[in-house]
Structure formats: C-alpha cells, structure tokens
C-alpha cells in the first residue's frame, strides 16, 4: 500500500468520463491501480528488458479476483462487463503483457470451459484457474493459418473411445506456463475444442524468443505429436468455428478497454515530461506545438474511452454484436498506437528508453494491432456489416 | 467479539485540498473522497482480530452521503456490516462534536473493541481516540503497532521516543493504530460483490438520539480564525565542495539544531 496512486486519474480525464462508472466499478479501478502500482510498475521495465513475466503474479491476480472475473460460479467473482473492462484498462496502463495474461486466462481459457464444458470439466478446472493455481492457454492460430482459422491443419481423430490429436499452434500466450491448453482442432464432424493438460504424452510447448513486443508476456508454440486424449477431453457444448470466435469476441472486448489504459499512460507520461523538460529557457509544455499535440492526444483518448464505455454498456444490455466489437477494437488500437507515437515525440530521446513507459507501450501495441483479429480483418467485418457484402469469404 | 472500526472519509491526499472562504471548512465536495489511510490499517486489524477470535466487524462512519462509497470499500475488504451516521446538522463538527456523535452511536450499538486510525489526514488532530474513550468511560490504548487479545484482556505494543511500551487493559476498550501494525488487504472482487448484500444502517441525528444543538459548525468549540496558502517552497542552498564540503554541511546542520 506504500505507493498508492491517486484515487482518480483526473489529469487526463478532462471530461470526467469515470464519473459514469458505478461505485463498484470505481472500486475495481482503484484496486487494480493500487495493485499494479505496488507490484507491477516498480519492476515492469526490468521484466520487459529481461523478457519475463513472473509466474507468481498469477495467484496474486487470482486472489484479487481478476481471473475469470466476468464469469459466475466456480470461484469467479461474477462482475459486470464494464468492471471487467475497467480492470483490463488499469492492467494495460501498466503493461499490455500483464493484461494479455489475464485476458487469455479469463476470456480464452476459462470462458470456453465455463460456456461449453461439461460439469466435470468445469469442476476440475475453473476453481483452480480462478484462484490462479492453474494457468490456461488457447490454441487456435497455427504457423500457416492466422486470419483464416477455418483452414487449420491441427486435427483430432477418433481412436476407440478417445481421440488422437496432431498438429501445431503458434503465438500462444501463456503457452509454456499453462497447466491446461484449450486446443481447437478439425474432427470428422467439424472443429471442436479439446482440453489438453500439461504433460500429456506427445504435447510440447516451446517459448518464442527474440520478440520486440509483449516482452513481459509468455509466447509459445505448441506441438501435438499423436497426443492420446480421453473422450471427455472434448468440450461437449460447441462445434464449428463459432466456438473459438465467441471466445475471441470476449477477449477483444477486453482489448477495447485495455488499449485506452496504454494510451492514457503515454499521455500522462507526455504531460508530466512536458512540464519539467526545459528547452529555450522554458518548459516545452509551454510551447504551442506541444500543447497542440497534448490537446489532440487528450481528445483522441477521451473518444476512445467513450467508445469503450459505450461498448461496455451494450454488452451489459446483452445486445453487443461482433461487428461492433470489430469496429471498436480496430479504432481503439489505432488510437492507442497514435498516442504512443505522439507521446514519443514529446519525450524526445527519452521516449525510446525503458525509463519511461512510452516505447514499451508503443512496441506492445504493435502486437495488439494484429492479435485477436488483425486491423484488416476487423475492417472487413465492419465493411460487411455496412455493405452487406463479404469481401473475404 | 464485537469489533467496531471507525472510518473517516477524507479528501484524496493526492488532490489539492482547500478551505472554503465562506465558513473556513474543508471543501469536501470538489475532490474525491477516500478512506483515511490509517483507518485502512484499523479495518485490517479489525478483520485480523475478528478472524482470530471469531468476531464480527462493524464499520461506523460519520460523514456526508458520499461517505457511503468508503463504507462500501470497507465492507468489500471483509467487514460484516456498517452504520452510517449522516445528517446535514453534522456538517462542520469539530473533534468535540464528532466524538459526542460517534460515542453516542457506539454506546447504542455496543462494542467489545473500538479500533480507529491514530489520526486523519485532513485535520490531523489525533485527539478523537482519546475523546471517544473518555466519553465512553473505557480505557484508551493509543498508537498501537501490535494488538493482542487474550480473553478479556487487550495488550498493545507501541514504539515511543524512549523505548517500547506494552499497555494492557480490560475490554471493552478503544485502540488507535499506526501504519506499522499491518498491511491492509485489497478489496477482492468477490468481496466487492458480497458487499452489495451486507447491511448498512443509516442513522440521522434524530435516529441516533443526538441533540442537534451540540454538534455541527454552530456548536464547535474551536474556530478557524484565518488561514493562508502554504508559501512556495524556497530554493535550497547549494554548497560547492572545495575540500570543506563536510564541515559546511555540519555547520548547516548545527545551525538548524539537527546536531
């Protein structure tokens, strides 16, 4: 509790958008801000440079209730979508890697078990995952199949009463630390989800190194070499691509909010720097060009925050549509990248060091731009919704 | 064991705090309210003692409507229920009025142990624990950095300028705590959800049986006669080390009577 941040990030919230949050949502905001200030911010630059995310953060996040916080039962907090969004925002204000860990655990690994799993699967995995005792990952993307998951090669063949799983998955967040992988594979009756525990014979996970983005995040490739699975490893509740795509819609919702945190961090760093950095005998925050940059950054950020809040309230009302998620994911990630680049110009050379958060956010956001649906694919989803014509399938 | 933790909502310590020119009272409306920091330690201590001694924690807060948010946070941390004393007639109460109001409610709801922070970050008087204990006619154990309860006996440990004190008293008692005592927990999200269902009793002056003539700005025994903004910080003295830096630094410290 020693390094508590201010209760309200008022400086960049000129429109007081946070006043629209409920008391519970504000309490979630303050709790996550206080936690990241104490546990993440002092070390994040070092973790980023070393390319690690300490595993011991996971049970701490579980204790707070962040893992699967928008799910009900099985030890999950059962909070509303806006509270989930606010939590993602505050996590990503610290680092996109930490938010990614939580997104993958809650929305991509726990959500499919919670929504499509059997009672036994839920009982076995969800309480431990909510507590952060077990980590999950989500295997959809393959080395040769990213935007076009329908062409996936990974397949599961019936074998007596069970299955044999073969193939590989790529760019898998949490892959090497996961206790359970939710793997999507082709079967004789369409694409199905399988729960593959760590240590299953023939299942290996290898860390991907030499990343210049999301360095404080575990990324892996998963290989399945004729992995024998029992019949009850399959998620009974869904078949076809709508299974994994529904999970991605959940996770993208978190991104819409999360990137506004990264953008806010960049704007606040730029404001603070411009007040103290002096050139030509005065703080650069007093120059018109700098003020113009800051003003537009604030305007862009607040628009993105309003968009996130609107999407959150739509989800709360149960009317949120995938193309609305696409529009907001596409728009807010682009805004956050623009904010990071503009902040970088205000910080000058300091903008490229890990002493300040800006270059870290800028690099992270390059991953966020393309993961969970590239900007182009989301544009096509929006284009189809606008014209009624599909340009890609 | 029935533990009551007194919680004050104060203006965010990070925000710029001002007094209103009209009545010299703290402007609470224009800044966000947070739980007084030392009271968070008091809540944590109440929860720890309740967990160890099968007790129940009640939060008692006197403050305007928006103090309900701080009560909610205390309940989210794990307290069982709350009493909110809220009445326009309480505005501007000084420590005497506040202690009268709180002690009246404490006597009404009953307690084995009252815990509160040693002072609040807004007024920083630090007299309320003593006033409460005096009005309630129970022992006061102040500035605790450790609390031990054994049957009907409470022992606190405190660090003073001259050494360590161990103060022992019988329950019921009032204990004030300092930040060394523990590490307050975060409200968990499950706790936030559970807090919605916890009972919060709202009392007006009339409900609590408090005489309006004895509280509020009108009844205050103290008065702010004048106030001024803190003067801007002076530039420090820079001493160039020309081989005599050490003795110059010592001269400065001696002049300030530090050494």
């Amino acid at each position: 509790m020693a390094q508590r941040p201010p209760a309200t990030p008022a400086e960049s919230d000129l429109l007081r958008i946070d006043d629209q949050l409920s008391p519970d949502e504000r309490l979630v905001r303050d709790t996550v801000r206080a936690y990241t200030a104490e546990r993440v911010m002092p070390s994040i630059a070092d973790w980023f440079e070393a390319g690690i995310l300490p595993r011991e953060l996971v049970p701490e996040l579980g204790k707070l209730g962040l893992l699967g916080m928008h799910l009900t039962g099985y030890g999950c907090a059962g909070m509303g979508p806006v509270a989930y969004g606010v939590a993602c925002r505050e996590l990503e204000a610290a680092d996109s890697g930490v938010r990614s860990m939580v997104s993958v655990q809650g929305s991509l690994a726990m959500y499919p078990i919670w929504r499509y799993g059997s009672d036994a699967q839920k009982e076995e995995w969800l309480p431990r995952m909510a507590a952060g005792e077990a980590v999950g990952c989500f295997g959809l993307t393959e080395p040769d199949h990213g935007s076009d998951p329908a062409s996936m090669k990974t397949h599961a063949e019936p074998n007596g009463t069970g299955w044999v799983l073969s193939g590989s998955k790529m760019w898998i967040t949490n892959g090497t630390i996961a206790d359970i992988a939710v793997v999507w594979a082709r079967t004789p009756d369409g694409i199905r989800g399988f729960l593959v525990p760590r240590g299953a014979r023939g299942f290996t996970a290898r860390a991907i190194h030499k990343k210049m983005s999301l360095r404080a995040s575990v990324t892996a490739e998963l290989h399945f070499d004729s992995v024998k699975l029992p019949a009850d490893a399959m998620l009974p509740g869904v078949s076809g691509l709508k299974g994994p795509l529904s999970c991605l819609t959940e996770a993208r919702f978190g991104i819409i909010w999360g990137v506004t945190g990264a953008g806010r961090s960049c704007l606040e760093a730029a404001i603070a720097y411009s007040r103290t950095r002096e050139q030509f005998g005065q703080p650069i925050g007093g120059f018109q060009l700098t003020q113009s940059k800051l003003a537009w950054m604030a305007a862009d950020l607040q628009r993105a925050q309003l968009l996130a809040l609107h999407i959150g309230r739509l989800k709360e009302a149960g009317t949120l549509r995938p193309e609305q998620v696409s529009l907001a994911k596409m728009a807010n990630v682009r805004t956050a990248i623009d904010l990071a680049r503009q902040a970088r110009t205000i910080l000058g050379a300091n903008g490229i060091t890990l002493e300040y958060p800006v270059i870290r956010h800028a690099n992270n956001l390059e991953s966020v731009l393309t993961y969970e649906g590239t900007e182009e694919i989301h544009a096509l989803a929006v284009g189809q919704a606008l014209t009624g014509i599909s340009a890609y399938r | 064991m029935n533990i009551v933790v007194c919680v004050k909502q104060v203006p965010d310590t990070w925000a710029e705090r001002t007094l209103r020119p009209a009545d010299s009272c703290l402007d609470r409306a224009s800044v966000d309210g947070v739980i007084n920091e030392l009271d968070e330690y008091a809540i944590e201590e109440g929860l720890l003692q309740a967990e160890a001694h099968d007790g129940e924690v009640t939060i008692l807060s006197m403050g305007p409507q928006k103090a309900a948010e701080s009560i909610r946070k205390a309940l989210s941390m794990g307290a069982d229920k709350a009493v909110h004393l809220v009445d326009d007639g309480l505005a501007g109460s000084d420590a005497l009025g506040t202690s009268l109001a709180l002690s009246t409610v404490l006597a009404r709801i009953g307690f084995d142990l009252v815990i509160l922070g040693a002072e609040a970050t807004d007024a920083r008087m630090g007299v309320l624990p003593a006033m409460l204990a005096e009005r309630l006619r129970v022992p006061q154990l102040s500035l605790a950095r450790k609390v031990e309860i054994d049957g009907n006996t409470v022992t606190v440990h405190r660090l003073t300028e001259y050494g360590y004190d161990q103060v022992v008293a019988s329950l019921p008692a009032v204990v004030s705590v300092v930040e060394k005592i523990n590490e307050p927990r975060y409200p968990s999200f499950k706790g936030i959800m559970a807090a919605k269902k916890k009972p919060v009793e709202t009392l007006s002056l009339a409900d609590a049986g408090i005489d309006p003539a004895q509280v509020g700005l009108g009844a205050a025994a103290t008065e702010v006669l004048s106030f001024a903004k803190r003067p801007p910080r002076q530039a420090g003295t820079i001493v160039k080390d020309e081989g005599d830096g050490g003795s110059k630094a010592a001269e400065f410290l001696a002049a300030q009577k530090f050494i």
Side-chain angles (χ1 to χ4, degrees):
Chain A
M1 306 288 282
Q3 313 184 34
R4 242 187 307 207
T8 314
E11 195 165 69
S12 60
D13 188 14
L14 280 181
L15 302 181
R16 300 283 304 192
I17 296 170
D18 269 15
D19 288 356
Q20 303 297 314
L21 301 177
S22 73
D24 287 351
E25 290 156 358
R26 281 199 286 271
L27 201 41
V28 165
R29 172 195 69 190
D30 296 345
T31 300
V32 181
R33 277 174 73 84
Y35 172 78
T36 56
E38 182 190 330
R39 280 294 280 132
V40 179
M41 295 316 295
S43 308
I44 186 63
D46 293 333
W47 297 340
F48 187 92
E49 188 156 61
I52 54 168
L53 182 67
R55 173 73 170 73
E56 67 259 26
L57 287 189
V58 184
E60 293 175 11
L61 296 165
K63 192 174 170 196
L64 283 181
L66 271 158
L67 306 176
M69 63 181 278
H70 57 313
L71 307 178
T72 49
Y74 305 99
C76 302
M79 302 201 101
V82 173
Y84 176 52
V86 166
C88 288
R89 181 184 83 185
E90 297 306 326
L91 288 170
E92 194 150 357
D95 193 83
S96 303
V98 181
R99 199 269 304 142
S100 295
M101 190 278 142
V102 171
S103 284
V104 168
Q105 178 84 347
S107 290
L108 294 182
M110 294 175 71
Y111 176 78
I113 298 172
W114 178 82
R115 175 135 183 223
Y116 305 123
S118 67
D119 287 345
Q121 289 168 335
K122 294 178 194 180
E123 294 286 353
E124 181 178 2
W125 289 107
L126 292 179
R128 291 172 57 208
M129 294 173 83
E133 291 161 11
V135 175
C137 68
F138 175 88
L140 176 66
T141 295
E142 300 188 351
D144 297 324
H145 305 279
S147 294
D148 181 17
S151 308
M152 70 170 65
K153 291 280 188 297
T154 300
H155 57 100
E157 303 299 334
N159 173 27
T161 60
W163 298 89
V164 177
L165 178 70
S166 300
S168 55
K169 297 290 180 183
M170 189 71 175
W171 309 117
I172 308 304
T173 298
N174 297 350
T176 54
I177 59 168
D179 301 285
I180 184 75
V182 178
V183 180
W184 301 92
R186 186 176 292 292
T187 73
D189 59 334
I191 288 169
R192 306 291 306 232
F194 293 89
L195 301 185
V196 185
R198 180 217 290 271
R201 197 181 171 90
F203 170 29
T204 50
R206 203 163 56 210
I208 296 172
H209 295 293
K210 299 184 179 170
K211 288 183 298 173
M212 296 302 285
S213 176
L214 288 185
R215 289 184 55 76
S217 174
V218 174
T219 315
E221 46 183 312
L222 311 181
H223 295 282
F224 307 96
D225 182 6
S226 299
V227 178
K228 287 194 179 129
L229 297 171
D232 62 7
M234 190 181 75
L235 294 174
V238 70
S239 76
L241 262 189
K242 67 174 184 289
L245 293 186
S246 67
C247 302
L248 289 168
T249 301
E250 289 291 300
R252 289 165 184 156
F253 175 81
I255 293 177
I256 292 165
W257 282 85
V259 293
T260 67
R264 185 187 77 206
S265 169
C266 292
L267 173 58
E268 288 178 348
I271 293 170
Y273 190 84
S274 74
R275 281 180 175 155
T276 54
R277 171 71 173 177
E278 291 192 8
Q279 288 294 289
F280 304 105
Q282 63 160 304
I284 61 171
F287 290 116
Q288 292 180 357
L289 282 178
T290 307
Q291 291 202 352
S292 171
K293 287 178 186 179
L294 293 172
W296 279 110
M297 287 166 74
D300 288 344
L301 175 65
Q302 299 249 271
R303 278 197 290 243
Q305 289 168 332
L306 282 172
L307 181 52
L309 185 62
H310 178 67
I311 292 285
R313 298 299 179 210
L314 287 177
K315 189 166 167 59
E316 216 165 56
T319 62
L320 183 62
R321 297 192 45 77
E323 63 267 23
Q324 294 170 326
V325 173
S326 285
L327 184 150
K329 195 265 183 183
M330 176 182 95
N332 275 12
V333 175
R334 178 53 65 181
T335 297
I337 288 178
D338 291 345
L339 284 166
R341 290 190 179 154
Q342 196 66 284
R344 147 85 183 95
T345 68
I346 293 175
L347 268 71
N350 282 312
I352 66 153
T353 77
L354 289 175
E355 296 294 313
Y356 297 88
V358 174
I359 194 70
R360 188 164 48 75
H361 286 308
N363 281 15
N364 285 339
L365 289 166
E366 291 299 326
S367 293
V368 183
L369 179 67
T370 57
Y371 78 8
E372 310 212 8
T374 63
E375 184 177 74
E376 291 79 359
I377 290 291
H378 286 300
L380 293 176
V382 174
Q384 181 177 357
L386 292 173
T387 64
I389 306 166
S390 169
Y392 65 110
R393 62 182 172 203
Chain B
M1 187 165 53
N2 181 7
I3 299 170
V4 181
V5 179
C6 297
V7 170
K8 183 179 190 183
Q9 188 184 56
V10 296
D12 189 349
T13 32
W14 285 65
E16 169 129 352
R17 288 162 287 175
T18 52
L19 300 184
R20 290 187 304 226
D23 58 5
S24 301
C25 284
L26 185 61
D27 180 2
R28 295 178 191 278
S30 64
V31 284
D32 287 294
V34 298
I35 293 181
N36 173 45
E37 193 166 340
L38 282 179
D39 291 345
E40 288 204 16
Y41 294 82
I43 295 166
E44 178 67 28
E45 194 57 28
L47 295 173
L48 292 173
Q49 296 297 343
E51 284 159 14
H53 300 282
D54 193 25
E56 189 180 56
V57 176
T58 304
I59 301 299
L60 169 59
S61 188
M62 166 180 143
Q65 201 55 49
K66 78 175 192 174
E69 277 200 34
S70 290
I71 290 173
R72 179 81 75 94
K73 180 176 179 185
L75 294 173
S76 300
M77 288 170 75
D80 299 283
K81 56 190 169 68
V83 178
H84 184 185
L85 181 61
V86 50
D87 197 303
D88 288 345
L90 287 162
S93 293
D94 64 357
L96 274 174
T98 302
S99 64
L100 174 74
L102 286 178
S103 62
T104 305
V105 178
L106 282 166
R108 178 192 148 105
I109 61 180
F111 61 91
D112 297 310
L113 182 63
V114 175
I115 310 180
L116 68 171
E119 66 176 18
T121 52
D122 52 359
R124 302 206 59 185
M125 294 184 65
V127 294
L128 196 73
M131 287 181 170
L132 282 182
E134 189 64 23
R135 288 188 186 276
L136 292 164
R137 296 272 163 206
V138 298
Q140 180 207 192
L141 300 90
S142 62
L143 306 172
R145 49 187 264 151
K146 185 176 175 189
V147 176
E148 291 168 324
I149 295 170
D150 184 7
N152 199 35
T153 304
V154 55
T155 305
V156 311
H157 298 239
R158 94 182 140 214
L159 177 63
T160 68
E161 283 174 14
Y162 46 85
Y164 295 92
D165 286 346
Q166 277 189 36
V167 186
V168 184
S170 59
L171 295 174
V174 172
V175 169
S176 68
V177 303
V178 297
E179 76 281 357
K180 287 272 185 266
I181 192 164
N182 56 40
E183 190 64 27
R185 67 195 67 186
Y186 293 113
S188 78
F189 294 2
K190 272 198 254 183
I192 293 171
M193 297 304 279
K196 294 181 189 211
K197 301 192 186 86
K198 291 179 177 173
V200 179
E201 188 185 4
T202 303
L203 298 178
S204 65
L205 285 174
D207 296 334
I210 297 165
D211 178 3
Q214 297 198 46
V215 294
L217 189 61
T222 52
E223 189 184 354
V224 177
L225 296 176
S226 68
F227 60 90
K229 274 199 174 299
R230 183 173 52 194
R233 189 179 293 215
Q234 301 292 314
T237 314
I238 296 171
V239 178
K240 275 221 174 84
D241 183 15
E242 290 159 343
D244 55 354
S247 48
K248 279 191 178 159
E251 273 170 33
F252 171 79
L253 290 171
Q256 304 290 322
K257 298 199 190 327
F258 284 119
I259 54 175

